[in-house]
């Protein structure tokens, strides 16, 4: 069994032999009709024991595993997943990436994450298609304009590149936008983050999975946790549908099901699970290059590389584990966007889906130790978790490896709810996406 | 979209005619006794939620009808609404029996607390 | 090349050919700008066939030429643009477009033309582009993804182009309830609807096609001894005449949501835009609440993929048959049938009887027999049993099929032995049927695999939803009708009257032989593409590659290869894809699983979702009774909540700033009036009214004497400020609460919630009266003199109406409430009169004040005036994270009261922390420099970022009164830093320094308001 902190020989061998993806390897494999590609990740049976078991193979869990292995040499790690990796919110979101938040801890977290996205494709040798093609937050009331100006000052001093722009520049960036001055919510300006954008959500999960696997991490799919075993105040392992697995440390990263999994360890959470819907139009030739968020009317839209308009809005108001949302919420979003982009009225909705998101009391995430020794939790990303995947995994891995939070993770601890030290982003934007 | 019937005015309406007020039966410490409320008690009151996957008790308001609050018992996966009861009432035994274990534990604890007083 | 027409003459076909077209009526339309004509009743697809056009589109990835494959909404290939300019609608299925005069249709995703498309070079390099190739490359150089690779991909991707302007047409929505919603108007749906309506149930039956009957017109079998079509026509007629049945064609049931909430899209005018001339909407979205839903959505034929099976002229067997029977067109002059079941034999005989030669029936089954097979044999059609198509030859860039290669097929799944070449120019293929289970799945319905039909069927649904007919895997006519009537009767209730069911008879059909793709001869999957998902160019090889690389879950395969993610949502491809995966993994299909079917069933317009809620009707605007006066006075507006408030009143050439300064100086020097009607007004009455206020506000109100008012703060339970205002005591147990304009509704809800859910024993009524009153501030040194000119019985004198008191009386003949309160620091009154007298009274104030130079002032002047006095504004000094203590308002926070909202929270460590930000005033070093909104202060300006931010500006204005800039800010430990300088790096290289001072800038002693 691998010793903590040491990469076993056979694993480093794996790393070395992981077939590199490139135009050349593509050409080489074309020769044999692509029949020689190796697996992107293994599907191993669980070992008896691991140093760290991560529950949940979503983007956050896989990123955590990747940085445990690559930054902390903790490679005796399993990521267990009740379904298929990347099948939760990682594969159900609108792929928006931005870091123009208001509060200090949020700025630190999301800018770390955004900057990791910048060269993630090269880091993972897997094209996650990070596309910093710019993100606009529209200002449609004086109040919103003032709030965004405030955010822009905070961001500039925090080293986050972003600027306020006027209506004319907005129209330049988004020719299809309704810039009429006598519509219900005229555009007064916008807050523009040029290096915000999108990425290919599945690829993020797959890239981290491939990278972790190559470093010896066992990714075990179709393996559901049924209970978490404790000895006194310390975790000892988990019972799963693939048998009992011993674990020195357990990290729960199960967005949408956090309350249920933590309950297995007797820990209750400040979380409500609600449904957030998203939808896409049929593919059309490019009409909008940037991401536009209209927070006053509750909707946002971008266009994927495939040509689909990717649309999202606010979450439902009541608890929901069904991954199916309510039509009024969706109607509200689409109506807002038809008003904002009148040409989409004639385009058509292709696909609608829902994801279950964890909402905390202050709408900010939780990255924390718990009262149970060896039990860590990463959750509460609400409607905006995708953008945070690299940063979240990075600081969570650090917390797990050192058993103490660094500066960034520290602010997102569970203790904040007891101290009243909440991190409220609704100050800045109605839709915290 | 859910169909909800207001137990107060009897109006059947769409979800959009109502407003969900979240988890039911959250006790406000200060109403009972403003003195000596611990930070933990305050946190539990404001932030901690049961969030069950199953039968849940919630507060709803008849927004576009009589404006009254009431309790609803709803399944958080199937969305089936099993019943309603008054905003000042505890859940009827029949509903509590079908509710998520977290809720049964909740009311057992309350009963114990009441006895010890 | 020559476009040979594929319209079949009626001669000698007994008139059965072309039953839906009227050959006496030609209809002109354009295709890619060229004029063509078809017949009334044609679809665009059939009209194009008739004009000899078989290439109607190019595929997504390889730009291969593509033609029509299917029928109606399951067509994956023939996507076209319909209309022009702002009325252009992309990605419409040619098989669903009904021909109308002047129809303009264009091909998509091809340049320069669909016949010759440059993009086709992609298919030459296709070996370089296996599934997911883009995940493996385009990574270097790093900057190239955004600047080079992605732009190319984006331009290449996408299908049609968007309309070039706002949608000129209208949309609307209907809400309705029914006992039974029947989805689909085929024989099963009609029968179920008959049974349900006979029992008296309120029924809606909807079908996406223009005609009812599904494929009954080509299915064979008889009802009451006659062709099915006859019974269909009569049944539809009976239903249409029944008063309690709503029969809808061209209406697609697109989604099933919680509690049997069903969305239907009615295409009102797509088939004939002239309908809109009378004001009809283009689409109508029906929101149906159904007690029961009967799904009779039918089944979709699936092809058998073979090498190069995407060539124009390869069609589904029923699509060929339907185009022949309904529109009198064939896809070519010499056909080949490729099948694993009996139904395709009907297509063969139908073609032959219409005079279209059938070169061969290629049946994978070793010994096909039964009446349908016999009929074909006796008609003299050559049958190759136990054979499969192992290749397809075409000329002119794959646009014209010349022949297929046939070889013996063994159920081992390999093709072996002698190849034979059969000349033909089209292929009708049938691989069996997939029940349409989409709607059943939308709200969580589960599926079971049915071995007999080798496809998925619905499991019992948790909601009152039942699936019948071929959608339920029942293909035998008699059985299917029994099932339908049973479902209808069950829906109507046991006691209900019964409808008479027709007697059904049909030829027996042999079992099908499952075959998921016919392997090519030579090396399997090397170059010769077996297309599974036509629109997304997904081949069998792609699916196997995904498996090989570990994307094992069907969801992974789907996302990695994009199988089933095209605009047809995998209607023809999903099950075949699973079949291929099953073949390559050795797992049975049920273990491979199925992918979730999500709404909508077919794409539908965003316009229909917005309905009429666009433009002026997008969101309500609230106006005060004086709105029109402000408008006439040339006011500019500020939206506050749903209100529009006058921001300022520019005169002549004046810009906003000049106007605002003038208004401020008028108030300070003479007298100004403000329309404060939007201010929240709530009457609170009852024995416990005082006690309620004491719980809601941070300070005490129960001690308030009648006629007196007090300023109060509201916290939420987290200890954060969320509203403020003056509440006055109108009499015993009777108060009038003022709230912020934006917060009025929220506060009413807030009070109600606490009364109903927490302090349930309190006896209090809470009534919102905001709209009942018009309220005006009269502020300035001349305020009293102005008001004393008014006729009435109100005493405005200093003693008669002391500061923070109120009186009621009559002014200018109308009832009035007069409050002596001041948000400007001047001598100031607020007068409330019934809203219906508001505008008259407002004008009287102006008339009375004329001699003193009275002027109206707007919300911005109001804000500057209050800032000069250091008064806070909710939303400026507060942002949901600020406590009263942060604002130095300890005087308003009771120490004595045992309990009020937010009290306990103030003791939490973080809220009691001595390092919190505190409200201070700021005077910039340069008095002419106005700090920017929301600027942040830092402890010191550093090269390294982030800088240490110690606070931010909350309000910042030019003060014409003081003739300098002023600002308020929340600064860490600000109150301990009076007189110190703080630094604001407001832009690259620009720093503003300001002195921390008391936030009251003007008239600290408050003498101006106490006169």
């Amino acid at each position: 069994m691998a010793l903590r902190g040491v990469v076993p020989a056979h694993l480093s061998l794996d790393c070395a032999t992981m077939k590199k993806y490139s135009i050349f390897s593509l050409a080489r494999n074309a020769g044999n009709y692509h029949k020689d590609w190796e697996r992107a990740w293994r599907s191993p049976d669980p070992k008896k024991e691991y140093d760290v078991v991560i529950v949940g193979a979503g983007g956050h869990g896989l990123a955590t595993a990747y940085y445990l292995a690559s930054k902390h040499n903790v490679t005796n790690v399993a990521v267990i997943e009740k379904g298929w990796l990347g099948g939760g919110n990682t594969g159900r979101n609108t792929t928006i990436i931005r870091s123009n938040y208001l509060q200090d801890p949020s700025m630190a977290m999301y800018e770390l994450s955004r900057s990791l996205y910048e060269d993630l494709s090269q880091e993972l040798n897997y094209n996650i298609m990070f596309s910093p093609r710019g993100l606009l937050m529209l200002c449609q009331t004086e109040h919103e304009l003032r709030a965004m100006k405030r955010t822009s000052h905070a961001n500039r001093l925090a080293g986050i590149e972003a600027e306020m722009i006027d209506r004319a520049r907005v129209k330049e960036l988004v020719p299809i936008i309704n810039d009429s001055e006598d519509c219900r919510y005229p555009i007064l300006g916008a807050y523009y983050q040029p290096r915000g954008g999108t990425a290919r959500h599945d690829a993020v999960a797959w890239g981290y999975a491939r990278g972790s696997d190559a470093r010896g991490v066992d990714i075990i799919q179709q393996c559901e946790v049924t209970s978490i075993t404790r000895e006194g105040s310390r975790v000892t392992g988990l019972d799963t549908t693939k048998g009992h697995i011993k674990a020195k440390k357990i990290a729960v990263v199960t967005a949408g099901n956090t309350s249920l999994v933590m309950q297995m360890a007797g820990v209750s959470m400040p979380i409500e699970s609600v449904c957030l819907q998203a939808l896409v139009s049929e593919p059309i030739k490019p009409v909008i290059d940037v991401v536009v968020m209209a927070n006053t009317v509750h909707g946002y839209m971008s266009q994927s590389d495939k040509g689909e308009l990717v649309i999202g809005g606010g979450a439902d108001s009541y608890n929901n584990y069904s991954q199916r949302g309510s039509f009024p919420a969706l109607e509200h979003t689409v109506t807002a966007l038809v008003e904002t982009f009148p040409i989409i009225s004639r385009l058509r909705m292709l696909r609608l889906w829902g994801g279950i998101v964890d909402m905390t009391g202050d709408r900010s995430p939780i990255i924390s130790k718990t009262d149970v020794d060896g039990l860590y939790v990463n959750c509460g990303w609400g409607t905006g978790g995708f953008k945070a995947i690299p940063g979240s995994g990075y600081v969570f891995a650090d917390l797990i490896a050192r058993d103490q939070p660094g500066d960034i993770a520290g602010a997102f601890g569970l203790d904040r709810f007891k101290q009243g030290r909440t991190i409220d982003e609704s100050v800045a934007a109605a839709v915290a996406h | 979209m859910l169909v909800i019937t207001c137990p107060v005015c009897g109006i059947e309406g769409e979800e959009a005619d109502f407003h969900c007020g979240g988890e039911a039966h959250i006790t406000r410490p200060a109403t009972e006794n403003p003195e000596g409320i611990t930070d933990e008690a305050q946190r539990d009151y404001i932030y901690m939620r049961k969030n069950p996957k199953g039968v849940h008790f919630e507060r709803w308001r008849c927004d576009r009808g009589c404006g009254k609050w009431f309790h609803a018992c709803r399944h958080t996966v199937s969305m089936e609404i099993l019943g309603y009861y008054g905003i000042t009432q505890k859940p009827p035994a029949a509903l509590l029996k079908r509710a998520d274990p977290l809720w049964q534990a909740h009311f057992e604890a309350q009963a114990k607390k009441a006895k010890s007083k | 090349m020559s476009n040979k027409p594929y319209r079949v003459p009626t001669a000698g076909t007994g008139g059965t050919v072309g039953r839906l077209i009227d050959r006496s009526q030609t209809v002109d339309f354009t295709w890619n700008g060229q004029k063509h004509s078809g017949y009334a009743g044609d679809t665009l697809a059939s009209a194009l066939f008739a004009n000899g056009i078989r290439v109607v589109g190019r595929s997504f990835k390889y730009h291969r030429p593509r033609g029509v494959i299917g029928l109606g909404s399951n067509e994956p290939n023939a996507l076209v643009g319909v209309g022009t300019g702002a009325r252009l609608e992309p990605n419409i299925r040619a098989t669903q477009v009904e021909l109308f005069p002047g129809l303009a249709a264009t091909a998509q995703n091809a340049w320069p033309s669909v016949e010759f498309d440059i993009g086709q070079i992609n298919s030459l390099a296709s070996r370089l582009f296996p599934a997911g190739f883009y995940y493996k490359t385009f990574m270097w150089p790093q900057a190239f993804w955004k600047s080079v690779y992605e732009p190319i991909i984006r331009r290449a991707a996408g299908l049609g182009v968007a309309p070039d302007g706002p949608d000129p047409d209208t949309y609307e929505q209907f809400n309705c309830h029914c006992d039974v919603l029947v989805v689909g108007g085929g024989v099963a749906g009609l029968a179920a609807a008959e049974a349900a309506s006979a029992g008296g149930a309120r029924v809606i039956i909807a079908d996406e096609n223009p005609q009812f009957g599904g494929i009954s017109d080509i299915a064979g079998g008889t009802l009451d001894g006659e062709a099915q079509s006859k019974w269909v026509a009569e049944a539809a007629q009976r239903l249409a005449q029944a008063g309690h049945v709503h029969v809808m064609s061209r209406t697609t049931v697109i989604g099933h949501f919680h509690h049997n909430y069903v969305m239907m899209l009615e295409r009102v005018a797509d088939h004939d835009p002239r309908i809109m001339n009378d004001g009809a909407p283009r689409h109508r979205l029906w929101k149906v609440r159904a007690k029961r839903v009967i799904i009779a959505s039918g089944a979709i034929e699936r092809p058998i993929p073979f090498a190069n099976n995407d060539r124009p002229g390869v069609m589904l067997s029923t699509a060929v048959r339907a185009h022949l029977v309904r529109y009198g067109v064939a896809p070519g002059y010499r056909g080949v049938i490729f099948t694993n079941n009996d139904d395709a034999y009907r297509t063969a005989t139908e073609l032959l009887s219409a005079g279209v030669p059938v070169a061969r029936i290629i049946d994978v089954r070793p010994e096909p027999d039964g009446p349908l097979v016999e009929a074909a044999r006796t008609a003299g059609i050559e049958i190759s049993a136990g054979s499969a198509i192992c290749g397809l030859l075409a000329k002119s860039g794959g646009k014209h099929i010349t022949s297929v290669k046939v070889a013996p097929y063994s159920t081992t799944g390999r093709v072996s032995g002698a190849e034979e070449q059969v000349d033909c120019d089209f292929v009708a293929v049938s691989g069996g049927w997939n029940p349409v289970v989409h709607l059943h799945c939308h709200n969580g319905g589960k599926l079971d695999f049915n071995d007999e039909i080798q496809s998925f069927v619905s499991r019992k649904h948790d909601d009152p939803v039942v699936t019948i007919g071929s959608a339920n895997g029942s293909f035998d006519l008699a059985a299917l009708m029994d099932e339908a009537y049973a479902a209808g009767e069950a829906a109507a209730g046991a006691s209900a009257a019964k409808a008479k069911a027709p007697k059904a008879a049909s030829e027996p059909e042999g079992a099908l032989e499952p075959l998921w793709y016919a392997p090519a001869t030579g090396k399997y999957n090397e170059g010769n593409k077996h297309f599974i998902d036509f629109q997304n160019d997904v081949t069998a090889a792609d699916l196997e590659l995904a498996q090989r690389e570990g994307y094992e879950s069907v969801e992974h395969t789907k996302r990695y290869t994009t199988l089933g993610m095209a605009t047809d949502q995998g209607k023809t491809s999903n099950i075949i894809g699973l079949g291929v995966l099953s073949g390559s993994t050795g797992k049975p299909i049920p273990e491979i699983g199925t992918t979730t079917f999500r709404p909508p069933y077919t794409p539908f317009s965003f316009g229909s979702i917005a309905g009429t809620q666009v433009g002026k009707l997008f969101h309500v605007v609230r106006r005060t009774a004086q709105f029109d006066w402000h408008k006439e006075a040339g006011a500019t507006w500020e939206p506050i909540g749903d209100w529009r408030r006058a921001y300022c009143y520019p005169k002549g050439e004046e810009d906003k700033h000049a106007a605002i300064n003038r208004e401020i100086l008028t108030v300070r020097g003479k007298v100004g009036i403000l329309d404060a009607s939007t201010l929240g007004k709530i009457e609170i009455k009852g024995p416990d009214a005082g006690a309620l206020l004491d719980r809601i506000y941070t300070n005490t109100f129960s001690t308030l004497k009648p006629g007196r008012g007090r300023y109060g703060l509201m916290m939420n339970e987290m200890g954060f400020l969320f509203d403020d205002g003056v509440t006055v005591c109108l009499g015993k147990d009777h108060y009038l609460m003022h709230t912020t304009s934006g917060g009025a509704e929220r506060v009413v809800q807030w009070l109600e919630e606490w009364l109903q859910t927490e302090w349930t024993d309190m006896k209090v009524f809470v009534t919102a009266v905001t709209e009942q009153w018009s309220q005006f501030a009269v502020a300035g040194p001349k305020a009293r003199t102005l008001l004393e000119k008014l006729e009435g019985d109100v005493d405005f004198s200093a003693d008669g109406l002391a500061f923070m008191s109120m009186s009621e009386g009559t002014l200018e003949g109308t009832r009035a409430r007069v409050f002596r309160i001041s948000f400007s620091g001047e001598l100031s009154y607020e007068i409330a009169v019934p809203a219906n007298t508001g505008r008259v009274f407002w004008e009287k104030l102006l008339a009375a004040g004329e001699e003193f130079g009275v002027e109206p002032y707007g919300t911005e002047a109001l804000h500057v005036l209050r800032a000069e006095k250091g008064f806070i504004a909710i939303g400026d000094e507060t942002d949901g994270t600020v406590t009263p203590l942060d604002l130095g308002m300890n005087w308003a926070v009771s120490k004595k009261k045992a309990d009020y909202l937010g009290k306990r929270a103030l003791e939490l460590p973080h809220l009691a922390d001595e390092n919190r930000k505190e409200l201070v005033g700021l005077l910039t070093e340069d008095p002419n420099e106005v700090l920017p909104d929301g600027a942040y202060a830092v402890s010191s300006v550093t090269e390294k970022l982030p800088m240490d931010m110690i606070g931010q500006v909350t309000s910042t204005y030019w003060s014409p009164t003081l003739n300098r800039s002023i600002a308020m800010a929340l600064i860490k430990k600000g109150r301990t830093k009076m007189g110190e300088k703080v630094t604001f790096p407001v832009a690259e290289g620009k720093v503003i320094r300001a002195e921390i001072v008391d936030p009251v800038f003007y008239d600290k002693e408050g003498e101006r308001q106490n006169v």
Side-chain angles (χ1 to χ4, degrees), chain B residues 1-3 14 28 30-31 34 37-39 42 45-47 59 61 67-69 79-81 87-88, chain C residues 177 257-259 261 289 717-718 749 753-754 756-760 898-901 904-905 908-909:
Chain B
M1 167 142 105
L2 312 177
V3 183
E14 305 283 355
R28 180 173 180 265
T31 304
I37 302 167
T38 64
D39 290 352
Q42 177 71 7
Y45 159 53
I46 302 283
Y47 296 110
R59 303 152 69 239
R61 180 177 181 274
K68 296 300 184 210
W69 284 88
M79 298 294 136
E80 181 194 358
I81 294 174
I87 192 64
T88 60
Chain C
H177 291 248
F257 299 84
H258 295 304
H259 291 192
Y261 193 52
R289 187 69 76 172
E717 281 283 70
M718 280 86 100
Q749 302 301 342
E753 180 171 351
W754 287 105
Q756 287 185 38
T757 67
E758 188 68 24
W759 306 314
T760 53
D899 177 27
Y900 53 88
L901 298 178
R904 174 58 180 83
L908 292 171

Side-chain angles (χ1 to χ4, degrees), chain A residues 83-102:
Chain A
W84 38 282
L85 68 88
N89 295 341
T90 303
R92 294 169 179 273
N93 62 83
T94 49
T95 79
I96 292 173
I97 293 166
R98 65 181 183 96
S99 62
N100 54 349
Y101 281 69
L102 176 66

Side-chain angles (χ1 to χ4, degrees), chain A residues 4 52 67-68 71-74 234 249 369 374 376 394-410:
Chain A
R4 175 94 164 269
V52 181
Y67 292 114
L68 271 173
K71 295 274 177 282
H72 303 277
N73 276 341
V74 182
R234 159 147 226 103
K249 296 178 175 181
K369 300 173 68 170
Y376 309 83
Y394 195 94
V395 302
F396 195 41
D398 173 74
L399 166 62
I400 296 163
R402 299 188 303 114
D403 192 39
Q404 63 181 36
D407 294 344
I408 296 180

Side-chain angles (χ1 to χ4, degrees), chain C residues 119-132:
Chain C
Q120 195 168 6
I121 44 169
N122 286 12
S123 83
L124 302 178
S126 67
R127 267 170 80 172
L128 274 178
F129 309 142

